[in-house]
Amino acid sequence: MRKLWIALAVIVLLVVGAAVALPYVIDVNRYHGRIQAEIEKRVGRKVTLGPMKLSLLPFAIRVQGTTIAEDPSFGEGKVFAKADELYVRAELWPLLRGDVQVRSLELEKPQIELVKNAGGVWNFASLGHNAATTEQPAGVTREEQARAQQQKQDEQQAKQKPQEFALDRLRISDGQIAITDLKAKQPRAVYDHIDLAIEDYKPGHPFLIDLAAHLPGQGKQEARLNAKVGPIRDDNRLATPIDGTLKLEEVSIAGLQRFLNTPALAGADGIVSGDTTVKNADGKLAAKGALRIEQPKVKGVNIGYPIAADFDVREDLDSEVIRIEKGTLKLGATPLSVTGVMNAAPTPMQLDLRIWTPEAPIGEIARLASAFGVAFHKDMNIDGRVQADVQAKGAATQPLLNGNISAKNLSISGKGLKQPVQVQGIQLALSPTEVRSNDFAASTAGATVNVQFALTQYTTSNPQVQATVRTGGAQVEDVLNIARAYGIEAVEGVSGSGRITLDLRASGALKNASAMALSGSGSLQNANLQMPSLGTPVVVRNADLKFTQNSAVLQNLVGAIGSTNASGTVTLRNFAAPQVEFTLTADKLNLNELPAWFASKKAQAGVVTPLANAAEEGALAKMTGRGKIAVGTILYDQLVMNNAKSDATLDHGVIRLAPLTAEIYGGMQTGSIVIDTRPDPIQYAVNTKLEKVDANKLLSSTTSLKQTLYGLLMANANTSFRSGSSSDQIARSLNGTLNLNLRNGKIANMDLWYELANAGKFLTTGQKFSEQPFTNLVALTGDFDVQNGVAQTNNLKAVIDGATVTGAGSANLADQSLNMRMVATLSKERSQEVGGTGIGGFMRTALANQNGELVIPVQVTGTFAKPKFAPDMQRIAQMKMEGLSTNPVGTVQDILGTFGGKKKQQQPPPDGQPQSQQQPPDGQQPAQTGTQPQPKQPDLLQQILDATKKRQQKNQPPPAQPSPSPTPNQQPKDYSEEPPPDQPK
């Protein structure tokens, strides 16, 4: 016994060793040409094989890369199939003798192109026929040439009979199949994860097929056809016998739609399972089975119950006529039966179907109808009973209907409905020309609405509707609930209270309800309406409604929005792109409320932040129109305008008031205001002319300058700014130009005379000056360029008693900061009063022109409330170098030009005399140039400036000692010994 086991072990080792050695003993590439020719003979196509290797598990010839050519009638040079790997199973002993006998083919991850031409012939129909001859590659051995010669002889003999494509097994794993139907003119569709197994295929004999498609998604997601097919009818492939079963296991409808590339399933989803027996005999296909759909959805709406289908369907594959012998749908517990004929040959498909249900609960049918957007809102729950018997004939896209549908004891409840909407009964009579309802009533707690409608031309692309809606003194909220229950989208998000009366008739295109012809009348009383496009409710205390053509007229309107109460007439046309005409009178208009008016509920809740998005949601962004308004009071922040009148235009969110007239702080305003509600915050553009306006009240209400400037103001302004919660925020966004002219006023917190006396050192000469809390202004003029709240000017001019002050620089209207350079020119009389050229501060902080007028350059910093004045030593030095002309106004303009960055051109001195030297008295001759040394003015100024710098470093106040003015016969005093001025360069 022991010897027997040893012998068996030796035999096993020999077998295993032989098997392991086979790949090294047999060089299958020697048979490359023979194997390629054998496969070509069987498939009847040009075949290209890559490198080959003998595989043990499974025992087969493994080919790296395989290509099968397309039928030449479908295009030369195209590829019918290609695979990464091909396993060719052949008989072992014949292979060892050099005879290749292919028994099966296995393709891993092949890519196959299936094409049906315009004549209805598939490109795979020629497989196994008309085998092409093969050409031997160059460089073959004598043995291969001999085999090729034998093959050529075999092929010549084969011409006497057709080649047969016979295989024990053909297997495709994880394949990709692309289908192009040129006859149906359908685009190329690609299907992945296809497994196919064909057993015992021989021409003229039946064979077994197992086809499985694995769809993406959770669960099994498998569709499998297991059938006995054949023998294949070459004369009529559609007549090939089939007897098998189609099984769906947890297949997603959405995945199936993508797999089949059919628009019929678009928008639907759910999980389908079921079995269907499929039989074909002589082109007569019968399908019988049952399917169940779990978690069905239509257009994203969860139906809420399973759908089951039992069916028995027959189809003539030649004529493409489908007959439904039995079709029973169960929508939850509600049965629905369908029988009839469908002809799929024409486009679109033609129908002749009968659809009926006995009296049954309506809930499931209504739920399905609402998912398709028919009859009811998707968030509504429908109870009641329904009965239907309808015949549908004609194109599937627009069938002609005959029959009746009736419902009774309907109760509609759900989202947004405080109480259910009741309908006692409704009947629909269907004919090929129209669908007509009875006059039915829908009622809820405080309202009853009577409705009757007729739908005509419903089989065309432009169906027409005629409807009558009547209600008397109903609650607005209840009427909105009834409209919402029937799925009218226009009232979505609208809520309200009050009473409404309607007697409305509408007719026109169903797809363009905004252009319907309207007639009738109605009224609104004490209505409060909240719309999703507005953040503030609209109150209608009274309005008489009149409907004509495509417009609605609100007459005797008395209403309010926010704090604004208005009355008048409003006409609204073209509801899709509203056009309005209006004549309104309002008690007041608070512009600060506009952001809340035009901010939608979503924006207030934080869902939509930009106001532009909110405007786009509502009617304002679509609205255009014009009219006239009269407002008792217009408020903006602290600004108040009275008795305003204007023409108004609306243009897709832009409101224009022009021409606008209004009383403002004792004066008048004329001009225009443009309000752009689209951006966030709202933008304003103001072009205005002011006449005799109280300057203090105007500036105090629009800027942070409170109780600062007084007088009667005349001004022109062209500015823009953004809305804000304070005048400071508004001022920071201010841009534009201003021109002002103030007469007989005063400026508070500032005594110009006292500051000039201090800057000119008049206070050290014994002159009596007492500081006052304000400065009287004879006139104040100037032009301003405002950028982001900073006003720039180069021609500011203030006329006060005894002096003219001109200035250039900037004033920040938001923080009130000042940065100005000013030049004060004292009149000759006032100059003499303060000491003329003999005052102590002369040659240090003040200069005199040839007219005997004192000129004092100063710098003004700080704020309007606390201005700071200081001598402008840099400009004083510059003026001394350049000299003063006899024209003080011209001198000031030249200096201001220098302030603005313009370099003043040096003018030649009169009579050849240097400007830095005063004219000698009458009768005296000036010093001769070149005969005696002249003082070097620049050296004197440099000494002054150097002394100033030293004093700043020592931080010492300057002594108030007078500086004698030089006489024509004196040499200028060396001011380096004098205490320098106390102002920086």
Side-chain angles (χ1 to χ4, degrees), residues 157-486:
Q157 295 176 1
K159 290 181 180 179
Q160 305 299 325
K161 60 180 180 178
Q163 300 293 333
E164 294 184 349
F165 177 42
L167 285 174
D168 292 342
R169 180 180 178 85
L170 172 63
R171 179 175 173 271
I172 294 175
S173 298
D174 195 15
Q176 180 187 89
I177 298 177
I179 299 178
T180 303
D181 191 340
L182 299 178
K183 181 179 180 181
K185 298 182 180 179
Q186 293 180 348
R188 180 175 180 266
V190 178
Y191 307 102
D192 292 315
H193 310 295
I194 305 297
D195 295 334
L196 173 65
I198 297 177
E199 303 284 348
D200 299 327
Y201 176 78
K202 293 180 181 179
H205 294 80
F207 58 91
L208 300 178
I209 183 172
D210 186 5
L211 174 64
H214 302 277
L215 280 65
Q218 297 180 350
K220 293 185 178 180
Q221 297 286 341
E222 181 179 85
R224 180 179 293 274
L225 174 63
N226 199 316
K228 182 178 181 180
V229 181
I232 294 177
R233 292 274 301 272
D234 292 333
D235 58 334
N236 184 3
R237 295 296 175 97
L238 295 178
T240 298
I242 299 176
D243 188 358
T245 302
L246 175 64
K247 186 174 184 180
L248 301 178
E249 290 189 273
E250 299 179 4
V251 174
S252 165
I253 294 178
L256 191 64
Q257 189 272 334
R258 292 190 295 269
F259 182 81
L260 298 178
N261 192 30
T262 172
L265 298 177
D269 201 359
I271 305 299
V272 184
S273 298
D275 295 330
T276 302
T277 60
V278 181
K279 292 185 178 181
N280 183 32
D282 295 326
K284 305 298 190 256
L285 179 67
K288 184 177 181 179
L291 297 176
R292 184 177 178 85
I293 305 176
E294 300 287 348
Q295 305 172 24
K297 292 182 180 180
V298 175
K299 298 181 179 179
V301 178
N302 191 349
I303 301 303
Y305 53 81
I307 298 176
D310 291 324
F311 55 90
D312 185 354
V313 178
R314 310 296 171 91
E315 179 180 2
D316 187 324
L317 297 179
D318 289 324
S319 63
E320 298 186 49
V321 173
I322 304 169
R323 182 176 297 277
I324 302 176
E325 301 289 346
K326 174 187 175 183
T328 301
L329 291 176
K330 282 191 176 181
L331 309 178
T334 303
L336 187 67
S337 298
V338 180
T339 58
V341 177
M342 298 184 295
N343 188 350
T347 303
M349 178 186 296
Q350 297 296 305
L351 306 178
D352 187 0
L353 300 176
R354 182 191 177 199
I355 305 167
W356 82 96
T357 180
E359 185 174 301
I362 196 176
E364 288 81 3
I365 296 176
R367 181 69 178 168
L368 185 61
S370 66
F372 282 97
V374 178
F376 302 102
H377 192 280
K378 62 183 179 63
D379 293 326
M380 295 297 131
N381 298 316
I382 318 298
D383 290 325
R385 310 290 291 181
V386 66
Q387 184 173 353
D389 190 353
V390 178
Q391 192 80 21
K393 289 186 177 182
T397 54
Q398 296 171 332
L400 298 175
L401 305 176
N402 270 295
N404 296 279
I405 300 174
S406 63
K408 61 182 181 179
N409 300 326
L410 296 181
S411 178
I412 307 170
S413 61
K415 181 179 178 182
L417 297 184
K418 293 182 179 180
Q419 294 186 2
V421 175
Q422 307 288 340
V423 179
Q424 293 301 316
I426 179 173
Q427 289 85 36
L428 298 179
L430 291 73
S431 71
T433 58
E434 69 174 10
V435 176
R436 181 174 293 274
S437 77
N438 66 323
D439 191 343
F440 63 94
S443 61
T444 185
T448 297
V449 178
N450 293 90
V451 181
Q452 191 277 328
F453 68 87
L455 184 66
T456 60
Q457 303 178 30
Y458 64 87
T459 61
T460 70
S461 59
N462 188 30
Q464 303 291 305
V465 66
Q466 294 178 350
T468 301
V469 180
R470 297 185 307 276
T471 182
Q475 291 292 326
V476 170
E477 180 180 17
D478 296 327
V479 173
L480 291 174
N481 287 340
I482 292 173
R484 190 176 296 112
Y486 279 91

Side-chain angles (χ1 to χ4, degrees), residues 913 917-928 967-970:
Q913 298 184 21
Q917 183 177 347
Q918 293 185 354
Q919 295 292 331
D922 294 341
Q924 295 187 11
Q925 299 293 329
Q928 299 293 326
T967 64
N969 294 330
Q970 285 181 323

